[in-house]
Amino acid sequence: MPFRLTNRLWGDRRLPGGDDALDPVPVAVVDIGSNSVRLVVYDGALRSPTPIFNEKVLCGLGREVGTTGVLGAEATARATSALKRFRAVTRHLGVGLVRAVATAAAREARDGPDFIARASDILGCEIEVLSGEREAELAARGILMGFEQPDGVAGDLGGGSLELISVRKKSLSKAVSLPLGVLRLENSGGGNISDAQKIVRRELEAVSWLRKERPKRFFAVGGSWRALAKLHMARSNYPLRVMHHYQMTPTQVRELTEAVRRSRKSGQPLDGLDAVGRTRRDTLVYGAITLERTLEIIQPEEVVLSVFGIREGLVHEMLSEHERKRDPLITFCEAYADLRARGGAQAGHEVFDWMTPAIEALGRETDADRRLRLAACLMSDIGWRAHPDYRGEQSLNVVAHSGMTGIDHMGRLFLALVVHYRHKGSGTAAEVLSNRLIEMAGPEQLARARLVASALRSAHLITCGVAGILPDTPITCDNGRMALHLPQEFATLHGERVDRRFSSFADAVGLTFAVEIEQAGSAV
């Protein structure tokens, strides 16, 4: 009997916004691409969806379309076999809704309609064959899912085509689809890199609006560009192995592309290539030259990798307007706190509100700082089940490598440091963090992480990890003094350890500390 995963893991958690309905059942997306066929099952149509099952089969449906005009027999056999398994998986997981799409190969092949008809029968649902513009729109919606207020140009490179679209926060415009997929380039260029470069240059230069964009960011989507980013991570010994929001400069991309080309021409092994899957290595150079030329034309300040694309774009379409407006980072942290923290998301919000007077006493908190501080409060108690000696290390690793979105790597590092210091105090994190990460953080971020962690250590000593206490035990900051107000019913929570923790917290914000027992105005 299929299980309800959302109920099994999350219990009867209500939807945000006062909706009386329970969380939706899992939803699935089947993506029939020119290179791979993939199934992703998400825990629901939510602002920050979590994949609970993810499988792909590299079928190469588009490998021969550019030259023969048809899908290869071997490729379609692999694809139909994969789709039969995917149908069984969705039944087993109790998926409530399956959305299926097909991209350039099925769209352009003469036998594409016959293949789609067979595939629809196998999956038991309609398959939407995406136009190039529709493909670009969904890729951009994926960017809207994975980033907070994105602004730039998104590019989705697949096996059969490249989609480019302007993304200006919540508006999408100027979409184009070009026949520049890596399999198509490999086939059309006959393995000749110079010929492939000419094709890339010709197609991109025909798009007049690209040169006028000059965006701050280029959002890179697709397995070929992720493979390039993995290679760059390996060659630069990057300390985090998190792909989403990984950033490269155009200069770094150009240097990487030159290295890939030299290796291809000389036949010499490329340093870091082991980080790239074997199935991606043959087409790596085509992804590299396409990205390089795209950046030369649009001239962004930075390249940002996205693991969200068409599939997450389809989920974005399923969301209510209320869900779309929610912050992806805070949504993720609230859900994670409800799953792992003793007091759930409610306790995290209470801690945030409780410490705000002391943090604001410093007068240096920006809106971005407040957002990260709220995320830190929500994630501050996720490690309570771990052994006490290792809660800091385990929490740090969970946060640093979690599936959270809407946050860059520096923000991710800040959250990881906060949860580490929340358990370990203000000492060094070098025993669990590489020197590279410490250098990335810098002294200002380290100091702020210790400050927020000091507040958390104080708060959790009062709450004991449960919600409902901090609203009745506020702190006030005035005249150079921090006061913890304890009503009579909570007076016995006061003790020597409380004094030590709070004195340290008060000292961090430049204040003295006192406890006030709310009984006839007396102070202790």
Side-chain angles (χ1 to χ4, degrees):
M1 181 177 180
F3 63 84
R4 285 285 301 277
L5 187 137
T6 47
N7 286 344
R8 181 176 176 178
L9 288 186
W10 300 90
D12 289 342
R13 183 165 64 90
R14 301 284 172 176
L15 286 170
D19 197 323
D20 287 334
L22 296 178
D23 281 345
V25 295
V27 297
V29 174
V30 177
D31 182 0
I32 304 173
S34 299
N35 193 21
S36 65
V37 176
R38 184 188 292 267
L39 167 69
V40 183
V41 180
Y42 301 94
D43 60 345
L46 303 168
R47 181 62 182 86
S48 185
T50 300
I52 59 178
F53 186 87
N54 189 334
E55 182 175 309
K56 73 173 179 180
V57 178
L58 291 171
C59 301
L61 285 171
R63 188 175 298 276
E64 300 176 15
V65 172
T67 53
T68 67
V70 296
L71 304 170
E74 181 180 349
T76 56
R78 286 176 62 83
T80 53
S81 176
L83 293 175
K84 289 175 183 177
R85 170 170 160 75
F86 292 170
R87 175 78 180 273
V89 169
T90 58
R91 285 173 171 170
H92 177 62
L93 292 178
V95 170
L97 174 66
V98 178
R99 292 284 302 274
V101 295
T103 57
R107 178 172 70 235
E108 297 173 6
R110 291 195 304 272
D111 56 345
D114 291 338
F115 168 72
I116 292 298
R118 294 198 309 275
S120 296
D121 288 340
I122 292 170
L123 284 176
C125 69
E126 182 180 350
I127 298 174
E128 179 185 359
V129 180
L130 304 176
S131 67
E133 290 73 17
R134 171 71 169 149
E135 203 171 334
E137 176 197 349
L138 288 176
R141 285 185 176 275
I143 298 299
L144 293 176
M145 281 287 279
F147 294 85
E148 176 70 3
Q149 300 291 310
D151 192 353
V153 172
D156 185 359
L157 180 65
S161 62
L162 167 65
E163 280 67 47
L164 297 165
I165 185 168
S166 178
V167 183
R168 300 296 184 186
K169 296 184 179 178
K170 295 183 180 180
S171 64
L172 312 177
S173 62
K174 301 177 184 176
V176 66
S177 180
L178 303 173
L180 295 178
V182 292
L183 294 181
R184 186 191 294 267
L185 285 171
E186 181 184 41
N187 196 272
S188 300
N192 187 299
I193 305 303
S194 296
D195 288 346
Q197 286 178 294
K198 292 176 184 177
I199 295 171
V200 171
R201 186 177 299 110
R202 181 183 69 239
E203 294 291 341
L204 286 171
E205 290 180 351
V207 184
S208 59
W209 62 265
L210 281 179
R211 292 189 179 276
K212 301 175 184 178
E213 284 297 298
R214 297 295 188 271
K216 176 178 175 59
R217 287 177 167 175
F218 178 74
F219 297 97
V221 182
S224 294
W225 285 343
R226 288 196 297 273
L228 276 174
K230 287 181 181 179
L231 178 62
H232 188 262
M233 282 180 171
R235 289 170 64 86
S236 61
N237 193 29
Y238 190 71
L240 278 181
R241 289 296 184 265
V242 177
M243 184 56 59
H244 191 68
H245 220 302
Y246 181 68
Q247 295 173 222
M248 296 184 289
T249 65
T251 298
Q252 288 172 329
V253 171
R254 183 168 58 252
E255 292 171 349
L256 183 64
T257 300
E258 290 173 355
V260 171
R261 278 199 299 259
R262 285 196 303 269
S263 174
R264 176 76 173 238
K265 184 176 182 179
S266 67
Q268 296 298 312
L270 184 64
D271 289 343
L273 192 61
D274 288 345
V276 178
R278 292 185 180 278
T279 54
R280 292 284 184 190
R281 294 177 189 177
D282 289 342
T283 58
L284 190 67
V285 67
Y286 300 105
I289 62 176
T290 304
L291 181 58
E292 179 185 41
R293 187 55 185 160
T294 301
L295 299 183
E296 287 175 355
I297 291 176
I298 67 174
Q299 295 185 21
E301 295 178 23
E302 60 187 9
V303 180
V304 182
L305 272 292
S306 174
V307 299
F308 279 19
I310 287 176
R311 294 177 291 274
E312 289 74 21
L314 284 166
V315 177
H316 186 267
E317 283 193 328
M318 303 178 199
L319 301 181
S320 67
E321 190 61 29
H322 172 82
E323 277 286 291
R324 288 180 186 174
K325 291 179 179 178
R326 300 182 73 204
D327 185 316
L329 171 63
I330 302 306
T331 302
F332 175 92
C333 293
E334 287 175 336
Y336 209 97
D338 279 338
L339 179 63
R340 297 298 186 193
R342 287 170 292 182
Q346 179 185 342
H349 280 284
E350 289 178 0
V351 171
F352 173 82
D353 292 337
W354 176 87
M355 73 168 69
T356 293
I359 301 298
E360 289 184 343
L362 292 173
R364 297 197 301 266
E365 190 172 47
T366 66
D367 288 343
D369 290 336
R370 286 175 62 85
R371 178 174 179 260
L372 284 179
R373 179 164 63 86
L374 174 55
C377 291
L378 290 165
M379 299 293 279
S380 64
D381 196 43
I382 62 169
W384 71 274
R385 288 182 182 271
H387 188 283
D389 292 343
Y390 301 101
R391 285 174 185 160
E393 290 87 338
Q394 291 197 18
S395 296
L396 182 145
N397 284 318
V398 166
V399 173
H401 301 98
S402 71
M404 64 177 64
T405 59
I407 185 172
D408 62 15
H409 282 203
M410 292 305 297
R412 183 183 290 269
L413 176 57
F414 172 79
L415 297 186
L417 287 168
V418 170
V419 296
H420 174 77
Y421 292 138
R422 171 261 193 270
H423 290 288
K424 287 290 187 180
S426 59
T428 178
E431 67 272 20
V432 290
L433 280 177
S434 71
N435 289 331
R436 288 287 308 281
L437 282 178
I438 296 295
E439 292 169 2
M440 281 176 61
E444 185 175 339
Q445 191 173 39
L446 287 171
R448 180 167 175 79
R450 290 189 176 106
L451 170 63
V452 175
S454 180
L456 288 169
R457 285 169 64 79
S458 301
H460 283 289
L461 203 57
I462 297 296
T463 67
C464 306
V466 300
I469 295 178
L470 288 182
D472 294 326
T473 58
I475 55 174
T476 57
C477 299
D478 52 55
N479 298 320
R481 178 173 173 269
M482 176 192 292
L484 170 65
H485 299 267
L486 294 177
Q488 185 61 41
E489 62 181 303
F490 293 136
T492 50
L493 285 175
H494 179 237
E496 182 180 334
R497 199 174 183 202
V498 170
D499 282 339
R500 288 201 307 270
R501 287 273 181 93
F502 274 82
S503 293
S504 177
F505 175 32
D507 185 63
V509 293
L511 303 173
T512 61
F513 171 69
V515 174
E516 293 189 357
I517 306 298
E518 300 300 318
Q519 182 181 23
S522 61
V524 179

